[in-house]
Amino acid sequence: MLILTRKEGEGIRLGDNIRVVLVQLKGNQVRLGIECPNNMRVLREELYQAVRHENLAAMAADPAHMKDLSKHILPQSSKESPKS
């Protein structure tokens, strides 16, 4: 892990397209600004881990339960005849 020291307003570059700036120091918190391409997803670590955990759980789901899933996803109106 590379560890750098930065002052407020100073930044670092990751490649050509990503810039991370120390925006503010407030107590024991640091506010970072991240400039990157719009197609790049930026997540907080705890959110990334939660999404990863849910994705792994979904991959381990029993395929036999997939048939029952459509009963909960399809809107009830699609089962009724259209009104004129």
Side-chain angles (χ1 to χ4, degrees):
M1 175 185 297
L2 174 64
I3 300 174
L4 301 170
T5 302
R6 300 279 77 201
K7 295 178 183 175
E8 283 188 36
E10 294 181 338
I12 61 169
R13 288 277 181 172
L14 303 172
D16 294 331
N17 298 326
I18 303 169
R19 181 172 180 243
V20 179
V21 178
L22 185 106
V23 175
Q24 182 182 35
L25 291 169
K26 187 175 182 181
N28 64 348
Q29 290 187 329
V30 175
R31 295 186 78 181
L32 299 173
I34 302 169
E35 297 173 4
C36 65
N38 291 337
N39 64 347
M40 181 174 285
R41 182 168 38 166
V42 177
L43 298 173
R44 297 182 320 244
E45 179 68 22
E46 65 274 14
L47 182 56
Y48 172 82
Q49 292 298 337
V51 168
R52 184 175 179 271
H53 173 76
E54 289 298 319
N55 286 342
L56 289 173
M59 288 174 34
D62 184 356
H65 293 117
M66 298 307 286
K67 290 181 182 179
D68 294 332
L69 187 60
S70 65
K71 295 177 188 175
H72 301 287
I73 294 176
L74 292 176
Q76 293 297 326
S77 62
S78 66
K79 294 178 183 178
E80 299 172 5
S81 61
K83 296 179 182 179
S84 342

